[in-house]
Amino acid sequence: MAEQKKLGYDDTPMLPDVPWHVHDGNRPQPRVVTPGTFATQDAPGLPPSDAIILFNGENLDGWKGKNDTPAPWKVENGYMEVVPKTGDIVSREEFGDCQLHVEWAAPVEVSGDGQGRGNSGVFLMSRYEIQVLDCFENPTYPDGTTGGIYGQCPPLVNACRRPGQWQVYDIVWLAPRFAADKLVSPGRVTVFFNGVVIHHFREVWGPTTHRKLPTVTPHPPVGPLRLQDHNNPVRFRNIWYRPLKGYDVN
Ligand code: MG
């Protein structure tokens, strides 16, 4: 058997707070993931190899509507589309800390203005909305702008593409921590919108509300993803997430 090549060093200083030397060769190797591809207007991106697929363009088996009924939205041509007035849908998967990828498109036919144009929403853990809206040449109140933490924090910039075009959210979510009935640390979110950072580790004060301050109440460490029916036929495709864990071991 070939002798294993020695990696790194064991005569270097210890790093603070972890049991490893600088350049420690015995530190666990990062897990190998095959990366995916970026989305284009013609095709969704390919998820990375360890992604958990929530919607692959074929059916809504992974989703449900009100009272556990089958999700009532339309699926065609590789995307799902909100059927107005049928209600929000939620994923059957429940998760907390994650990297989440969502592609969406506002209706190509522009109707309405302000909050009435291409409105939907990506609700992390069913509670915390990253706003979906067509804000291409469509101003609204800033904390309700596309990519805003609705009612709490506007996006850093408005990086909207034209309505009808596919747009991409890449979200990194750190769920709030509770101990008994107390908030220990709030949720924090980082969002890239069409490749542009619009939130950077931004604190989320509490669940999304309309015209009110959020009320923080403890909830489980995982929850389903919720997509909003706001009466506009917004489309979604290529929705996946990767649970985030492991900082404590390597
Ligand atoms: Mg919304």
Side-chain angles (χ1 to χ4, degrees), residues 115 119-123 129-133 144 150 228 230:
Q115 293 288 309
N119 195 334
S120 182
V122 172
F123 282 72
E129 183 182 18
I130 303 301
Q131 172 71 307
V132 168
L133 191 71
Y150 186 81
Q228 185 184 41
H230 201 285

Side-chain angles (χ1 to χ4, degrees), residues 3 5 16 23 46 70 73 75 86 99 107 125 155 158-159 196 202 221 245 248-249:
E3 199 182 322
K5 193 176 161 215
H23 312 312
L46 193 68
W73 294 6
V75 177
T86 59
Q99 174 188 354
M125 306 181 86
N158 176 347
V196 178
R202 176 66 71 173
K245 53 187 175 189
D248 51 340
V249 294

Side-chain angles (χ1 to χ4, degrees), residues 11-246:
D11 60 351
T12 43
M14 291 295 287
L15 289 163
D17 303 327
V18 290
W20 311 113
H21 293 267
V22 174
H23 312 312
D24 200 319
N26 293 320
R27 202 167 178 171
Q29 288 288 326
R31 196 162 46 83
V32 172
V33 171
T34 306
T37 58
F38 293 108
T40 67
Q41 289 305 312
D42 299 324
L46 193 68
S49 59
D50 65 343
I52 296 168
I53 311 297
L54 296 174
F55 177 64
N56 67 2
E58 284 171 19
N59 58 60
L60 290 176
D61 292 354
W63 298 80
K64 54 190 180 181
K66 275 178 250 173
N67 306 320
D68 272 356
T69 53
W73 294 6
K74 186 161 82 179
V75 177
E76 61 183 16
N77 304 323
Y79 55 77
M80 64 162 98
E81 184 178 295
V82 176
V83 176
K85 304 207 191 299
T86 59
D88 297 355
I89 65 171
V90 295
S91 65
R92 293 185 187 277
E93 285 278 338
E94 300 199 4
F95 50 98
D97 299 355
C98 65
Q99 174 188 354
L100 173 69
H101 179 93
V102 178
E103 298 174 25
W104 60 270
V108 68
E109 195 176 307
V110 170
S111 73
D113 59 12
Q115 293 288 309
R117 182 184 296 187
N119 195 334
S120 182
V122 172
F123 282 72
L124 301 160
M125 306 181 86
S126 279
R127 294 172 175 84
Y128 308 102
E129 183 182 18
I130 303 301
Q131 172 71 307
V132 168
L133 191 71
D134 171 16
C135 282
F136 186 85
E137 298 174 351
N138 176 39
T140 184
Y141 44 84
D143 68 20
T145 301
T146 318
I149 302 165
Y150 186 81
Q152 298 180 36
C153 184
L156 291 169
V157 295
N158 176 347
C160 277
R161 295 186 172 127
R162 288 181 173 279
Q165 295 211 312
W166 285 101
Q167 324 235 20
V168 181
Y169 282 163
D170 285 296
I171 297 171
V172 182
W173 170 241
L174 187 64
R177 274 24 179 196
F178 299 96
D181 57 351
K182 268 221 163 99
L183 180 70
V184 175
S185 59
R188 288 195 176 261
V189 74
T190 299
V191 180
F192 288 84
F193 178 30
N194 295 328
V196 178
V197 68
I198 58 168
H199 297 292
H200 177 212
F201 205 53
R202 176 66 71 173
E203 184 173 327
V204 178
W205 295 320
T208 299
T209 55
H210 179 55
R211 303 186 61 185
K212 280 192 286 220
L213 286 172
T215 307
V216 179
T217 45
H219 58 72
V222 297
L225 185 69
R226 176 154 66 96
L227 301 177
Q228 185 184 41
D229 167 15
H230 201 285
N231 290 331
N232 299 140
V234 174
R235 294 171 180 173
F236 292 91
R237 70 179 187 186
N238 194 25
I239 305 175
W240 52 259
Y241 78 97
R242 302 176 58 248
L244 285 184
K245 53 187 175 189

